[in-house]
């Protein structure tokens, strides 16, 4: 297991996440994917043997902590909003696409210890990157034993990157097709029909028709993504 890219960049990583570890092993473990260490492994560190695990347990802990902090945040930020709204907004913050954005914004994916040789260069995906952020959250909590340290990471980094990328996050995650259908049904308008016009190596091209008239189009890597894009493009044309 080659941990050099993590070990040699500990100071760099700590500066990125704005937290300095007392137990550096926790930080190192945050970046170890299960493809290179299934459970616990023994490594050589500082001239001696050390037992270390992959990041799955830290990710599990970080997921729960993040869910709690994000729930508290939306509860306090929107004191008059319903449970459904709070739940939907929180889900935007804690989902893997947002955490992927956090990871890439901090360039943490560069330090992921992953079995690229057997799984392939492109096999590390959005979830793997999101797991790093959750594992780092779990590691910060275990190292500090202080929820305020984790909240600092959440408010100063996660929330900042979330707000900076909010339009992209909402556009990628929100069910625009369902929203459009609900919007039109409330107005007594027939919902659009989506037709596949073209499919190639790059993706799908979909056209939305309303009463037989083309109203918008969308392109995406999947048919579902293209339909969602077509729905969003139609929404942009109408008065809400």
């Amino acid at each position: 297991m080659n941990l050099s890219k993590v070990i040699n960049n500990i100071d760099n990583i700590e500066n990125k996440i704005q937290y300095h570890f007392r137990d550096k092993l926790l930080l190192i473990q945050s970046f170890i994917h299960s493809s290179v260490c299934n459970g616990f492994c023994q490594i050589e560190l500082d001239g001696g043997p050390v037992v270390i695990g992959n990041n799955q347990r830290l990710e599990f802990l970080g997921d729960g902590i993040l869910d709690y902090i994000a729930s508290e945040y939306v509860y306090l930020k929107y004191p008059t909003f319903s449970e459904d709204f709070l739940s939907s907004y929180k889900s935007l913050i804690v989902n893997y696409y947002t955490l992927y954005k956090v990871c890439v914004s901090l360039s943490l994916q560069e330090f992921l210890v992953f079995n690229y040789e057997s799984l392939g260069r492109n096999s590390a995906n959005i979830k793997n990157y999101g797991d790093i952020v959750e594992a780092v959250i779990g590691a910060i909590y275990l190292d500090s034993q202080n929820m305020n340290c984790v909240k600092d990471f959440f408010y100063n980094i996660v929330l900042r990157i979330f707000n900076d990328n909010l339009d992209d996050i909402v556009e990628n995650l929100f069910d625009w097709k369902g929203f459009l259908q609900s919007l039109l049904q409330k107005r007594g308008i027939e919902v659009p029909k989506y037709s596949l016009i073209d499919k190639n190596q790059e993706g799908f091209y979909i056209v939305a028709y309303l009463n037989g008239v083309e109203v918008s189009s969308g392109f995406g890597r999947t048919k579902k993504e293209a339909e969602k894009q077509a729905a969003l493009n139609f929404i942009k044309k109408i008065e809400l």
Side-chain angles (χ1 to χ4, degrees):
M1 187 193 314
N2 185 8
L3 298 176
S4 59
K5 61 182 176 181
V6 181
I7 295 172
N8 295 337
N9 285 280
I10 286 179
D11 289 343
N12 183 19
I13 296 170
E14 289 178 330
N15 289 333
K16 289 175 181 290
I17 65 176
Q18 299 176 23
Y19 179 83
H20 292 271
F21 280 79
R22 290 171 291 186
D23 183 355
K24 306 297 184 183
L25 205 59
L26 282 169
L27 179 59
I28 294 170
Q29 185 175 341
S30 301
F31 291 88
I32 300 176
H33 187 259
S34 59
S35 62
V36 296
C37 178
N38 186 13
F40 290 89
C41 309
Q42 183 171 295
I43 64 170
E44 290 292 323
L45 187 66
D46 296 330
V50 176
V51 175
I52 192 170
N54 60 44
N55 66 7
Q56 288 183 325
R57 285 171 56 83
L58 288 176
E59 177 264 323
F60 167 79
L61 178 62
D63 175 65
I65 294 172
L66 176 62
D67 191 77
Y68 160 70
I69 294 176
S71 297
E72 180 186 62
Y73 165 71
V74 298
Y75 179 83
L76 295 175
K77 182 176 176 64
Y78 301 104
T80 62
F81 282 58
S82 69
E83 177 189 359
D84 287 343
F85 173 86
L86 299 181
S87 179
S88 296
Y89 197 79
K90 182 199 71 174
S91 69
L92 288 177
I93 299 174
V94 304
N95 77 84
Y96 274 114
Y97 187 75
T98 297
L99 299 183
Y100 157 78
K101 285 288 189 181
V102 173
C103 182
V104 172
S105 294
L106 299 177
S107 299
L108 296 181
Q109 77 281 2
E110 296 177 6
F111 313 109
L112 176 63
V113 183
F114 191 86
N115 193 343
Y116 294 103
E117 290 185 4
S118 63
L119 299 179
R121 231 24 244 180
N122 297 321
S123 53
N125 54 31
I126 287 176
K127 184 181 184 305
N128 300 145
Y129 293 171
D131 285 345
I132 293 173
V133 177
E134 290 184 335
V136 165
I137 289 173
I140 291 174
Y141 175 74
L142 289 178
D143 188 70
S144 66
Q145 291 294 302
N146 188 337
M147 189 65 76
N148 287 330
C149 291
V150 188
K151 287 184 177 182
D152 286 343
F153 178 78
F154 174 79
Y155 281 94
N156 295 335
I157 296 178
V158 175
L159 202 58
R160 172 180 58 80
I161 294 173
F162 169 74
N163 288 326
D164 288 346
N165 293 274
L166 185 57
D167 288 345
D168 178 45
I169 290 168
V170 170
E171 185 169 323
N172 274 274
L173 297 174
F174 195 76
D175 180 14
W176 292 112
K177 187 178 176 183
F179 177 77
L180 175 62
Q181 180 173 324
S182 175
L183 183 70
L184 296 179
Q185 285 177 337
K186 288 179 181 178
R187 299 183 179 186
I189 301 174
E190 180 183 349
V191 298
K193 292 181 172 57
Y194 300 89
S195 179
L196 176 63
I197 301 301
D198 187 32
K199 175 187 175 183
N200 54 48
Q201 291 182 338
E202 295 182 354
F204 296 79
Y205 179 68
I206 294 285
V207 169
Y209 295 93
L210 194 62
N211 297 321
V213 178
E214 179 180 336
V215 291
S216 67
S217 63
F219 183 82
R221 290 168 296 179
T222 66
K223 186 177 178 182
K224 182 178 180 180
E225 185 179 306
E227 289 179 350
K228 185 168 69 172
Q229 187 62 48
L232 175 59
N233 289 337
F234 182 41
I235 291 169
K236 290 177 179 178
K237 294 180 180 180
I238 61 180
E239 294 184 3
L240 300 181

